[in-house]
């Protein structure tokens, strides 16, 4: 459990759902689950341990310090720090903890060599640029890189990796296919020197929607946590059946009557059209409920959806529970997930993201970082 002391709202992490999603995505030997950035807000260690129990053989983390945390907790899997900008200290930590860091440019080569030893080679991956135009060696750099690595046996390349820019966009299929071709060509070249090198290109969208992008290892992130990269589009069926892992609840701390014509909360943005009953919920923008959702979101109370009304405050917001006269403090309000009545859909991170013009990744990272997390085994 992670503790946030300033608020009573909670993230509920369903580790069994995480394990079911992992199983749905394929054989563990073909997967490199992505648990960077505190496992998208779900908590690095509990997520890694649950996936290890489900058979995970490797993990992609964000930073070398996330990798070190996994090692210190006793996890023995391959650990690949994905994010760029590795400092010399990051390289030293990676070597000390036997991580599998990625070479992304010639500066990385120098730093990696400074941490490597001939008698105990440092296993590394090669980050390849195929169309994201962010980090990595381009196709034209590969022959020179290969020659350099052959001359420096302190570094042992075991993995080639690249990243898809728009695998979740069926209308960009031609671009994804060009990335697949570019990566294939790079891997072919590398395998003439290192025949056992593994290749990895697909993210969740690639794994689910572009079979040609799977190569040896796919790197699902959002799909592990229940997100469908194709939600709302023509390829939606490719990601159906995944379950959201995170629920978010907050206690109702007061129930009050509002007479017709009375307003509620800052700015008086909501005025009661008739007499109504309001629940005051102990969650707000300090605990991840975006203020831009004011008057636009719904929550689940007693298994039913009710509208939120008025401005979202720092640690509270109000909802219309006129139809639920049994509501009393400290009943539970569900902002994401939770037990829904017959015919009612729980609120999803996708729905919340759509309302905010963002993606569910952002909702999960924010909720996870700003709330105490509890775990269901
Ligand atoms: C975050 C990330 C992934 C996972 O992406 P999803 O869309 O969450 O599946 C895979 N590869 C790299 C390099 C990443 O940074």
């Amino acid at each position: 459990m992670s503790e946030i002391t300033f608020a009573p709202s909670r993230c509920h992490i369903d580790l069994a759902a995480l394990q079911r999603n992992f199983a749905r995505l394929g054989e563990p030997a073909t997967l490199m689950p992505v648990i960077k950035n505190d496992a998208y807000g779900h908590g690095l260690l509990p997520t890694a341990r649950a996936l290890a129990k489900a058979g995970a053989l490797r993990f992609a983390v964000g930073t070398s310090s996330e990798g070190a945390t996994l090692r210190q907790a006793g996890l023995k899997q391959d650990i690949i720090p994905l994010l760029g900008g590795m400092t010399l200290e990051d390289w030293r930590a990676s070597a000390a903890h036997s991580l599998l860091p990625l070479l992304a440019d010639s500066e990385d080569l120098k730093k990696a060599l400074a941490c490597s030893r001939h008698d105990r080679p440092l296993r590394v991956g090669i980050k390849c640029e195929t169309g994201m135009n962010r980090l990595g060696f381009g196709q034209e750099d590969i022959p020179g890189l290969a020659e350099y690595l052959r001359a420096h046996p302190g570094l042992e390349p075991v993995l080639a990796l690249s990243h898809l820019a728009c695998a979740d966009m069926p209308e960009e299929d031609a671009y994804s296919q060009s990335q697949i071709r570019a990566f294939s060509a790079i891997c072919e070249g590398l395998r003439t020197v290192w025949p056992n090198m593994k290749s990895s290109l697909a993210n969740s969208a690639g794994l689910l929607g572009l079979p040609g992008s799977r190569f040896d290892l796919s790197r699902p992130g959002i799909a592990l946590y229940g997100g469908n990269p194709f939600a709302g589009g023509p390829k939606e069926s490719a990601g159906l059946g995944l379950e959201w892992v995170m629920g978010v609840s907050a206690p109702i701390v007061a129930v009050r009557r509002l007479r017709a014509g009375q307003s509620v909360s800052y700015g008086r943005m909501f005025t009661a059209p008739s007499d109504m009953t309001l629940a005051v919920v102990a969650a707000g923008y300090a605990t991840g409920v975006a203020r831009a959702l004011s008057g636009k979101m719904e929550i689940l109370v007693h298994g039913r959806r009710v509208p939120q009304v008025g401005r979202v405050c720092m640690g509270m917001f109000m909802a219309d529970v006129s139809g639920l006269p049994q509501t009393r403090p400290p009943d539970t309000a569900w902002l994401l997930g939770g037990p829904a009545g017959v015919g009612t859909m729980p609120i999803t991170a996708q729905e919340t993201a759509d309302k905010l013009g963002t993606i569910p990744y952002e909702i999960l990272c924010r909720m996870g970082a700003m709330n105490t997390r509890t775990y269901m085994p």
Side-chain angles (χ1 to χ4, degrees):
M1 185 157 130
S2 63
E3 275 300 339
I4 297 280
T5 54
F6 54 76
S9 51
R10 290 269 180 283
C11 280
H12 305 259
I13 310 294
D14 183 349
L15 295 173
L18 173 81
Q19 291 169 327
R20 287 191 292 275
N21 290 339
F22 182 62
R24 272 191 199 106
L25 294 172
E27 287 301 315
T30 67
L31 299 174
M32 184 196 294
V34 180
I35 56 172
K36 67 187 180 201
N37 296 95
D38 210 16
Y40 292 37
H42 295 68
L44 181 72
L45 270 180
T47 301
R49 288 193 178 114
L51 291 170
K53 266 192 205 146
L57 299 175
R58 53 187 76 76
F59 296 111
V61 295
T63 59
S64 58
S65 70
E66 282 190 319
T69 302
L70 294 187
R71 278 285 179 264
Q72 280 153 359
L75 287 152
K76 303 276 190 275
Q77 282 82 354
D78 278 350
I79 298 172
I80 298 94
L82 286 180
L83 300 181
M86 296 253 298
T87 63
L88 185 57
E89 280 62 45
D90 292 325
W91 279 98
R92 284 207 185 101
S94 294
H97 293 286
S98 302
L99 309 183
L100 205 170
L102 302 176
L103 298 165
D105 57 33
S106 52
E107 290 304 307
D108 277 337
L109 273 177
K110 288 182 211 151
K111 293 174 202 162
L113 274 176
C115 307
S116 76
R117 289 174 13 188
H118 283 256
D119 54 332
R120 194 166 163 261
L122 177 61
R123 294 164 76 230
V124 293
I126 299 175
K127 199 162 206 170
C128 307
E129 170 49 50
T130 60
M132 184 79 173
N133 289 316
R134 189 171 65 177
L135 297 171
F137 292 95
Q139 212 167 339
E140 66 286 359
D141 307 319
I142 298 290
L145 174 66
E147 198 170 316
Y148 188 91
L149 287 172
R150 281 169 77 173
H152 294 87
L155 298 178
E156 183 191 355
V158 297
L159 172 71
L161 178 151
S162 190
H163 196 33
L164 294 166
C166 41
D168 57 331
M169 300 166 74
E171 67 276 25
E172 291 284 2
D173 188 62
Y175 196 82
S176 297
Q177 296 301 336
S178 76
Q179 287 199 262
I180 291 171
R181 282 194 302 276
F183 189 58
S184 298
I186 290 175
C187 293
E188 215 169 282
L190 290 170
R191 285 221 175 94
T192 60
V193 189
W194 296 280
N196 298 323
M197 199 165 190
K198 295 239 190 251
S199 52
S200 174
L201 178 61
N203 53 6
S204 298
L207 165 62
L208 294 167
L210 292 168
S213 72
R214 286 181 191 156
F215 292 84
D216 294 324
L217 302 172
S218 295
R219 305 189 304 274
I222 193 69
L224 285 175
Y225 311 105
N228 179 354
F230 302 109
K235 280 171 92 171
E236 185 162 37
S237 64
L240 290 183
L242 298 165
E243 302 166 65
W244 292 104
V245 173
M246 182 189 291
V248 178
S249 74
I252 290 172
V253 293
V255 173
R256 65 181 306 117
R257 297 282 293 166
L258 197 65
R259 293 245 186 70
Q262 286 185 310
S263 61
V264 64
S265 194
Y266 294 115
R268 305 190 65 213
M269 70 175 270
F270 178 81
T271 301
S274 53
D275 291 0
M276 57 197 292
T277 307
L278 293 187
V280 181
V281 180
Y285 56 80
T287 56
V289 183
R291 189 171 175 273
L293 286 169
S294 297
K296 293 184 186 161
M297 65 178 205
E298 294 182 323
I299 57 169
L300 215 58
V301 179
H302 292 297
R304 278 184 45 196
R305 278 180 177 243
V306 298
Q308 184 274 329
V309 294
R311 278 255 189 276
V312 170
C313 313
M314 189 181 289
M316 286 184 265
F317 66 76
M318 278 57 81
D320 176 4
V321 292
S322 304
L324 298 167
Q326 71 273 41
T327 306
R328 302 270 181 284
D331 288 352
T332 301
W334 288 89
L335 285 62
L336 291 180
V342 178
T344 301
M345 295 292 287
I347 321 295
T348 66
Q350 183 70 52
E351 169 183 345
T352 305
D354 289 344
K355 286 183 175 154
L356 288 168
T358 182
I359 51 176
Y361 305 59
E362 189 178 348
I363 307 300
L364 299 176
C365 289
R366 180 157 57 217
M367 282 298 186
M370 297 177 98
N371 290 282
T372 297
R373 289 186 295 247
T374 58
Y375 291 88
M376 298 175 265

